[in-house]
């Protein structure tokens, strides 16, 4: 997949980066004691569209 810095919803180039953490962490199935991983997201600063989700620690899965 080719990654761009353009919002797929409105076409804006004003993109921010953040993460979900805490209770919103991505948890692996079948590993109830795992702490999981924070999820890194990109968000359009104009329309608020959230896209390009990525696990910060993919090795947890």
């Amino acid at each position: 997949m080719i990654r761009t810095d353009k919002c797929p919803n409105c076409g804006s180039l004003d993109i921010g980066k953040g993460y979900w953490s805490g209770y919103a962490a991505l948890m692996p199935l079948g590993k109830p004691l795992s702490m999981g991983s924070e999820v890194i997201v990109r968000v359009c600063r104009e329309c608020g569209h959230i896209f390009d989700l990525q696990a910060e620690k993919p090795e947890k899965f």
Side-chain angles (χ1 to χ4, degrees):
M1 184 170 141
I2 297 172
R3 190 169 164 173
T4 66
D5 287 326
K6 182 176 177 182
C7 176
N9 189 54
C10 73
S12 172
L13 298 175
D14 190 9
I15 306 300
K17 193 172 184 181
Y19 64 91
W20 281 321
S21 65
Y23 293 116
L26 182 64
M27 305 302 288
L29 290 174
K31 295 183 179 180
L33 300 178
S34 174
M35 297 299 288
S37 174
E38 292 176 336
V39 178
I40 300 169
V41 300
R42 292 193 313 155
V43 60
C44 176
R45 291 182 180 150
E46 289 193 30
C47 74
H49 185 74
I50 296 172
F51 61 101
D52 194 31
L53 305 170
Q54 181 180 359
E56 184 178 56
K57 298 175 183 170
E59 68 276 4
K60 297 280 186 173
F61 299 89

